[in-house]
Amino acid sequence: MERGMVILLTIQRISKQTGISVRTLRYYEEIGLLLPATKTDGGHRVYSENELKILQQIVFLKTLGFKLKEIQALLNNTWEWEASLNQQLAFLVEEQRKLQEMESAILGLKNATAIEGGLTESLLQKFIKVSNQEQDKKQAIRQKIFAASEMDLMSKLPNVNRNDPNSLEWIGLLGQLERLRNSSPGTDSVQSIIKRMMEKAEEEYKGNDEFLEKIWAIRKSPLKSEQIGLYPLEDELMHFIEQAFKFYEENSQLLGNSQ
């Protein structure tokens, strides 16, 4: 529809062109956010290119998280643009932080089920307890236990809340040991996993035996593990791993003496 040099679009055409429903366009008119350029003699709403531009601005500002009342004030120049944008930016940064925390928690729970063999009530309770720990408090305890050089090594430890290859391999190895927990610690399948763990420890922490001894001592204490933020492993699994490592070391010594 053309009137002089002005192109007019019906509400149905605007809806089809923008993907905004007719119902929404009528609501925008009802609250005074977007009025049609005019109405035909038959009462049909028609919009000009100017209203289309305004509608595009509304859609864009909505994607940034602004509410309709705020958008109306922004379009009417009765809102402080700079302050509003700063406020919205701060809101989005906070929302992003929350989303990252949620992503980390979901990833951690997913990886924890790989260790535990499934999602159980006890696992949920354990994970809730770990998630509720204050990061500053955990960091303070770590600094009391570890030297400054060892703090860098802490960042290399496997973490259920991460998706890096190193963490995923450690999680997989622990999960395999959990499923083999009723086997003898000296079986080939268990010893193969222990061998890989020893290889990884050598690759990642070579020359830092004192650090590894500290971590192992903490690992054997559920309370200390919790205090520094390590994922808590069941006592039965820890005992099984300790027995398997002991068998591995004794067997390695025997092989060494025989050569």
Side-chain angles (χ1 to χ4, degrees), residues 240-251:
F240 178 72
I241 293 173
E242 189 169 25
Q243 292 300 309
F245 269 117
K246 184 178 179 181
F247 184 94
Y248 180 86
E249 290 171 350
E250 290 174 350
N251 195 47

Side-chain angles (χ1 to χ4, degrees), residues 36-246:
T38 186
K39 290 185 179 181
T40 66
D41 294 338
H44 297 292
R45 299 169 178 81
V46 288
Y47 298 82
S48 70
E49 290 184 3
N50 182 58
E51 283 73 46
L52 180 58
K53 289 179 181 178
I54 294 173
L55 181 58
Q56 290 170 339
Q57 293 173 20
I58 293 170
V59 172
F60 176 70
L61 290 171
K62 278 192 69 180
T63 63
L64 297 184
F66 286 100
K67 299 175 182 178
L68 292 180
K69 286 185 178 180
E70 294 171 337
I71 293 173
Q72 192 167 35
L74 286 166
L75 295 178
N76 291 336
N77 292 321
T78 58
W79 191 272
E80 182 56 48
W81 273 94
E82 185 174 357
S84 179
L85 291 175
N86 286 335
Q87 181 181 7
Q88 193 64 16
L89 180 61
F91 169 77
L92 292 174
V93 168
E94 177 62 16
E95 287 299 299
Q96 185 179 39
R97 183 190 66 79
K98 290 178 181 178
L99 287 172
Q100 288 174 340
E101 287 183 354
M102 289 172 61
E103 180 185 6
S104 178
I106 291 171
L107 180 60
L109 191 57
K110 175 178 176 290
N111 287 335
T113 60
I115 296 175
E116 307 286 350
L119 184 61
T120 62
E121 183 179 349
S122 61
L123 171 58
L124 280 174
Q125 291 303 319
K126 183 191 298 185
F127 205 80
I128 289 169
K129 190 174 184 180
V130 172
S131 300
N132 286 339
Q133 290 177 292
E134 295 179 11
Q135 188 63 36
D136 292 344
K137 188 176 180 180
K138 287 188 291 188
Q139 188 70 4
I141 295 174
R142 289 178 180 181
Q143 289 173 345
K144 289 181 180 179
I145 299 173
F146 299 101
S149 58
E150 293 175 326
M151 289 297 290
D152 291 334
L153 295 173
M154 286 291 296
S155 63
K156 295 182 180 180
L157 290 176
N159 190 322
V160 294
N161 294 102
R162 294 202 306 257
N163 214 21
D164 60 282
N166 177 54
S167 292
L168 291 178
E169 185 174 2
W170 277 108
I171 289 166
L173 292 170
L174 287 170
Q176 291 177 59
L177 287 176
E178 170 62 30
R179 288 185 284 277
L180 292 169
R181 187 152 53 93
N182 294 325
S183 306
S184 168
T187 59
D188 290 344
S189 54
V190 172
Q191 287 301 300
S192 176
I193 297 169
I194 296 298
K195 182 176 183 292
R196 179 54 188 154
M197 285 182 163
M198 294 294 286
E199 290 172 349
K200 283 185 65 62
E202 177 67 16
E203 292 166 4
E204 296 161 18
Y205 307 104
K206 186 176 182 179
N208 293 284
D209 293 342
E210 185 179 348
F211 172 76
L212 291 176
E213 289 173 4
K214 283 183 182 179
I215 288 294
W216 184 246
I218 291 170
R219 258 286 175 220
K220 291 192 289 184
S221 168
L223 176 60
K224 290 181 180 178
S225 293
E226 179 185 326
Q227 286 176 335
I228 70 168
L230 296 179
Y231 179 77
L233 298 174
E234 296 294 334
D235 290 340
E236 293 83 359
L237 177 58
M238 285 301 301
H239 178 72
F240 178 72
I241 293 173
E242 189 169 25
Q243 292 300 309
F245 269 117
K246 184 178 179 181

